[in-house]
Amino acid sequence: DAGVTQSPTHLIKTRGQQVTLRCSPISGHKSVSWYQQVLGQGPQFIFQYYEKEERGRGNFPDRFSARQFPNYSSELNVNALLLGDSALYLCASSLNLGSTEAFFGQGTRLTVV
Amino acid sequence: AQSVTQLDSQVPVFEEAPVELRCNYSSSVSVYLFWYVQYPNQGLQLLLKYLSGSTLVKGINGFEAEFNKSQTSFHLRKPSVHISDTAEYFCAVSGVEQGGKLIFGQGTELSVKP
């Protein structure tokens, strides 16, 4: 079985642009979470989605948004990119909302120039 | 709210030596505790987790961790490390009622030298 897949793996954008990152969870998993990992730091929680509804949001500005589709895949959108948005964006897949184990994808490395 | 502090940013150690990576947490509610490993240019892999019960938890690759509620600690140990254990290690906490939202520490870089 495929694990959590994220696309693209690498991305370079210019300040002010918009970006969309994609995540496909493990088959059968209904919950997807997004994390931002700035170089040299631990991942920070951005969003959690379950059954297409937002179930948690971290301390990120409104420039960050996400959605989950009927097939449980998810997109993370970031508008008006800043240099500080450069990071590894990780998607985590869980079976259900209260699952105690999250499976992480390889991440999307976003560089804003 | 929860927070996690990993007390060492870098831990150099020789191959076959024991290692301990330290983690302290703070929380006003009951928590689950986790250790993840991240190899270069990869995502996170779960090493072990504490949910309840025995305070000594065994994980993959010979790692184990001990939950100490009075000291709010969850230190990771391995009796004999290998070169292949070189990676970044993250301690994380999740509130029992918070549906899996993970709060991570800053990470500890384990460097195993021959």
Side-chain angles (χ1 to χ4, degrees):
Chain A
D1 273 344
V4 180
T5 57
Q6 293 187 242
S7 62
T9 54
H10 295 84
L11 201 53
I12 299 176
K13 289 286 189 178
T14 304
R15 276 182 301 175
Q17 285 188 314
Q18 175 264 342
V19 68
T20 298
L21 311 180
R22 295 176 176 83
C23 172
S24 293
I26 293 170
S27 177
H29 284 199
K30 299 179 180 178
S31 178
V32 169
S33 298
W34 288 94
Y35 291 82
Q36 181 197 63
Q37 186 180 15
V38 173
L39 196 62
Q41 297 184 20
Q44 282 201 300
F45 174 77
I46 311 176
F47 286 111
Q48 182 181 34
Y49 275 77
Y50 175 71
E51 291 284 11
K52 298 173 288 181
E53 292 190 3
E54 182 183 305
R55 302 304 295 263
R57 184 185 181 113
N59 188 24
F60 280 81
D62 291 344
R63 298 185 296 108
F64 288 77
S65 63
R67 55 180 175 169
Q68 187 177 33
F69 299 97
N71 66 352
Y72 303 109
S73 67
S74 178
E75 287 182 350
L76 175 69
N77 295 285
V78 187
N79 293 322
L81 285 166
L82 304 173
L83 295 179
D85 295 330
S86 296
L88 180 67
Y89 288 85
L90 294 164
C91 173
S93 157
S94 299
L95 189 59
N96 290 303
L97 185 62
S99 296
T100 57
E101 186 162 355
F103 296 83
F104 284 82
Q106 301 276 63
T108 294
R109 173 73 63 188
L110 172 65
T111 302
V112 182
V113 297
Chain B
Q2 295 90 38
S3 66
V4 176
T5 302
Q6 291 183 241
L7 299 165
D8 307 290
S9 58
Q10 294 180 318
V11 173
V13 64
F14 286 106
E15 193 174 18
E16 297 184 7
V19 71
E20 178 180 81
L21 307 184
R22 297 180 295 166
C23 172
N24 285 97
Y25 70 94
S26 68
S27 177
S28 57
V29 298
S30 297
V31 296
Y32 298 138
L33 294 157
F34 306 83
W35 275 98
Y36 282 86
V37 60
Q38 186 176 37
Y39 298 101
N41 301 312
Q42 294 192 25
L44 301 172
Q45 180 183 11
L46 180 67
L47 278 177
L48 48 79
K49 61 184 177 183
Y50 171 80
L51 304 181
S52 65
S54 173
T55 57
L56 184 63
V57 180
K58 294 190 182 298
I60 63 171
N61 300 342
F63 284 94
E64 63 181 33
E66 186 156 17
F67 170 58
N68 188 318
K69 188 174 183 179
S70 62
Q71 296 188 4
T72 59
S73 68
F74 191 54
H75 300 333
L76 181 71
R77 302 185 182 100
K78 186 170 182 177
S80 176
V81 294
H82 303 288
I83 298 287
S84 59
D85 292 323
T86 295
E88 190 85 17
Y89 290 79
F90 292 96
C91 181
V93 65
S94 171
V96 169
E97 302 297 328
Q98 291 190 331
K101 171 187 170 182
L102 293 166
I103 306 298
F104 286 88
Q106 295 282 72
T108 296
E109 182 184 347
L110 176 63
S111 177
V112 181
K113 305 177 186 305

